[in-house]
């Protein structure tokens, strides 16, 4: 009996996506398509539960430990720093509820952030008597120095407990200077929470190097898993100050003993685990875990740095072609502030939705966050697609 060779990921090769319909899929900032390995991983879970039902559970519980290790390796963390969550919002909400807040603590957010990194903090403010303040992103868009100066001024006013920001802004693709922001926060006695869903998987990010305190990431965008499964990173030094307000029955140490070891083990006083996964209070998303492990396996083969460089080459070509056609690019001129997103305004900005529909009919998938036309390629996209995309743009604008 021979063992099948593991699937091989190659930059610019979409052969692992044989069912993908758009000729140029440039919408990974929204939802990534499932690769053949992801589909196979999901099918393996389904087949195992169909055969063994409850007897399959131990196998897939062990798989979650492998997944945490794979995630930790991807972001420079340790396995015990990682909790598996349903989505980015869940991670934001869990930290917002578990923080040891003091009445009057200030929380700094940014105008223009995706609501997932705003709404939970607003709700926590009502519950715990916090002050939520919005800072402009425009300062960072002009230059990191201006943005950091504005952040420093807000921190200098005192009382800031937490700053929440996205690693990459979903509208413009602006990549934030996280390490510098973390240093400013820590010097002021504050902590940094990062929504990493538009970065992790395609933009290199090391939580230790960036000194991030919390990182929440959904798995269905740049990680290329499926909806319903992501992860939360908690810096070990911050774990002790989180209160287990979201704990459930599986948050306890040895929480499964009463089901596996006979009579006399049913207790309600077992300590809550002091690892990040204490927030995993109930049954997990087994299918999502299998999908994400398969997807991360492909990204790990390539390495986020190589993926990032590959996408920059693609976006350099696409951006120059769009600018030549009268589009206005929001991509930063500073390479350090770039991500894998290119957002533009077309020559007729009032018809962005119509332009997106026309492009879709011509085989180009993109999206329109808040009135912008957003292109988001990933490692399977080959730069040779760019002439096809520009031809589709010409046709959609009526130039073809």
């Amino acid at each position: 009996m021979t063992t099948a060779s593991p699937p091989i990921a190659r930059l610019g090769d979409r052969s692992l996506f044989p069912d993908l319909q758009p000729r140029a899929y440039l919408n990974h900032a929204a939802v990534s398509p499932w690769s053949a390995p992801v589909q196979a991983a999901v099918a393996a879970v389904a087949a195992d539960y169909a055969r063994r039902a409850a007897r399959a559970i131990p196998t897939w519980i062990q798989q979650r430990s492998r997944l945490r290790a794979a995630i930790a390796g991807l972001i420079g963390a340790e396995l015990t720093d990682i909790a598996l969550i349903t989505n980015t919002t869940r991670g934001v909400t869990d930290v917002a509820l578990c923080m040891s807040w003091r009445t009057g603590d200030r929380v700094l957010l940014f105008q223009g952030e995706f609501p997932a990194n705003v709404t939970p903090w607003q709700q926590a403010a009502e519950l715990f008597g916090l002050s939520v303040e919005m800072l402009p992103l425009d300062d960072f868009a002009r230059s990191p120095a201006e943005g950091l100066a504005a952040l420093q001024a807000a921190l200098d006013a005192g009382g800031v407990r937490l700053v929440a920001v996205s690693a990459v802004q979903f509208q413009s693709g602006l990549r934030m200077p996280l390490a510098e922001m973390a240093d400013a926060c820590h010097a002021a006695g504050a902590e940094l929470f990062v929504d990493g869903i538009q970065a992790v998987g395609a933009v290199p990010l090391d939580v230790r190097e960036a000194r991030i305190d919390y990182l929440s990431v959904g798995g269905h965008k740049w990680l290329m898993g499926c909806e319903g499964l992501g992860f939360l990173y908690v810096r070990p030094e911050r774990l002790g100050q989180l209160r287990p307000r979201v704990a459930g029955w599986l948050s306890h140490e040895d929480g499964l003993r009463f089901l596996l070891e006979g009579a006399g083990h049913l207790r309600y006083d077992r300590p809550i685990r002091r690892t990040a996964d204490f927030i995993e209070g109930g049954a997990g998303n087994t299918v999502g875990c299998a999908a994400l492990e398969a997807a991360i396996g492909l990204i790990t083969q390539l390495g986020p740095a190589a993926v990032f460089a590959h996408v920059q080459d693609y976006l350099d070509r696409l951006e120059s072609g769009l600018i030549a056609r009268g589009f206005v690019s929001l991509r930063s001129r500073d390479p350090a502030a770039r991500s894998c997103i290119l957002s533009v305004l077309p020559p007729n900005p009032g018809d962005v939705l119509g332009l997106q529909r026309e492009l879709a009919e011509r085989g180009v998938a993109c999206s329109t966050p808040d009135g912008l036309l957003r292109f988001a390629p990933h490692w399977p996209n080959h730069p040779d697609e760019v002439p096809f995309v520009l031809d589709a743009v010409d046709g959609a604008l009526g130039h073809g």
Side-chain angles (χ1 to χ4, degrees):
M1 178 177 176
T2 59
T3 301
S5 301
I8 302 300
R10 297 182 178 86
L11 295 172
D13 178 5
R14 58 181 273 172
S15 61
L16 295 180
F17 301 82
D19 301 322
L20 183 59
Q21 292 182 347
R23 181 171 168 184
Y25 189 83
L26 306 177
N27 207 13
H28 293 274
V31 176
S32 279
W34 290 15
S35 65
V38 166
Q39 294 181 65
V42 169
V45 174
D48 197 21
Y49 272 83
R51 288 192 306 267
R52 298 196 294 153
R55 290 180 59 197
I57 292 174
T59 298
W60 298 102
I61 288 179
Q62 292 175 7
Q63 186 270 339
R64 291 171 197 168
S65 182
R66 294 200 313 269
L67 174 57
R68 291 189 194 94
I71 292 167
L74 189 66
I75 64 170
E78 298 295 332
L79 180 150
T80 52
D81 304 337
I82 304 299
L84 302 176
I85 56 178
T86 53
N87 49 51
T88 307
T89 301
R90 183 77 266 161
V92 183
T93 301
D94 287 341
V95 172
L97 289 175
C98 292
M99 288 277 291
S100 301
W101 299 108
R102 299 176 296 267
T103 301
D105 278 344
R106 296 171 63 207
V107 178
L108 301 183
L109 311 177
F110 291 89
Q111 186 66 45
E113 279 278 345
F114 196 84
N117 205 16
V118 175
T119 303
W121 306 115
Q122 292 174 323
Q123 298 304 307
E126 291 189 17
L127 183 61
F128 298 107
L130 314 177
S131 172
V132 170
E133 302 168 36
M134 306 292 287
L135 302 181
L137 282 169
D138 293 346
D139 297 322
F140 283 97
R142 284 190 292 271
S143 77
E146 286 191 49
L148 290 167
L151 173 61
Q152 188 63 60
L155 292 168
D156 288 344
V160 177
R161 181 64 187 283
L162 183 129
V163 175
V165 69
S166 291
V168 169
Q169 295 301 320
F170 81 105
Q171 293 177 318
S172 64
L174 180 68
R175 184 179 179 184
M176 304 297 284
L178 298 179
E180 293 84 352
M181 295 178 74
D183 287 343
C185 289
H186 297 160
E191 299 169 20
L192 183 66
F193 185 102
V194 176
D195 173 347
I197 197 169
Q198 293 293 3
V200 177
V203 176
L205 193 156
D206 186 298
V207 291
R208 282 297 184 181
E209 289 182 2
R211 298 171 289 285
I212 292 168
D213 296 300
Y214 312 96
L215 176 73
S216 188
V217 180
H220 60 282
K221 298 183 188 288
W222 300 98
L223 285 172
M224 305 185 78
C226 66
E227 293 168 285
L229 201 287
F231 72 88
L232 173 69
Y233 159 81
V234 179
R235 187 180 182 186
E237 296 88 337
R238 303 303 187 195
L239 187 63
Q241 65 192 34
L242 294 181
R243 299 182 180 180
R245 296 187 178 108
V246 299
W249 73 280
L250 283 177
S251 302
H252 294 280
E253 294 180 4
D254 299 321
L256 288 170
R257 288 188 65 186
F258 76 101
L259 294 176
L260 303 175
E261 299 182 16
H265 296 291
L266 178 59
R267 291 169 44 186
Y268 308 104
D269 60 348
R270 297 187 189 278
I272 301 298
R273 291 193 303 278
R274 297 315 298 158
T275 50
D277 64 350
F278 81 85
I279 70 170
E280 299 176 25
N285 179 354
T286 303
V287 169
C289 288
L292 188 56
E293 183 184 30
I296 288 177
L298 299 177
I299 291 171
T300 301
Q301 288 180 27
L302 300 167
V307 172
F308 182 77
H310 171 76
V311 174
Q312 297 314 300
D313 178 39
Y314 191 110
L315 293 182
D316 287 345
R317 303 183 193 199
L318 180 58
E319 182 184 37
S320 63
L322 292 173
I323 290 174
R325 288 160 172 79
F327 286 75
V328 175
S329 173
L330 276 67
R331 191 181 184 210
S332 177
R333 288 186 290 246
D334 178 3
R338 291 177 175 175
S339 67
C340 293
I341 290 172
L342 169 63
S343 290
V344 297
L345 284 170
N348 179 10
D351 194 29
V352 171
L353 297 179
L355 179 55
Q356 185 226 14
R357 288 192 294 269
E358 290 285 339
L359 289 174
E361 291 179 1
R362 288 168 168 79
V364 177
C366 58
S367 55
T368 56
D370 204 28
L372 300 172
L373 194 65
R374 184 179 68 185
F375 299 95
H378 207 334
W379 65 260
N381 295 95
H382 197 287
D384 287 350
E385 292 175 354
V386 172
F388 167 77
V389 175
L390 293 174
D391 285 346
V393 168
D394 287 339
L397 292 175
H399 299 162

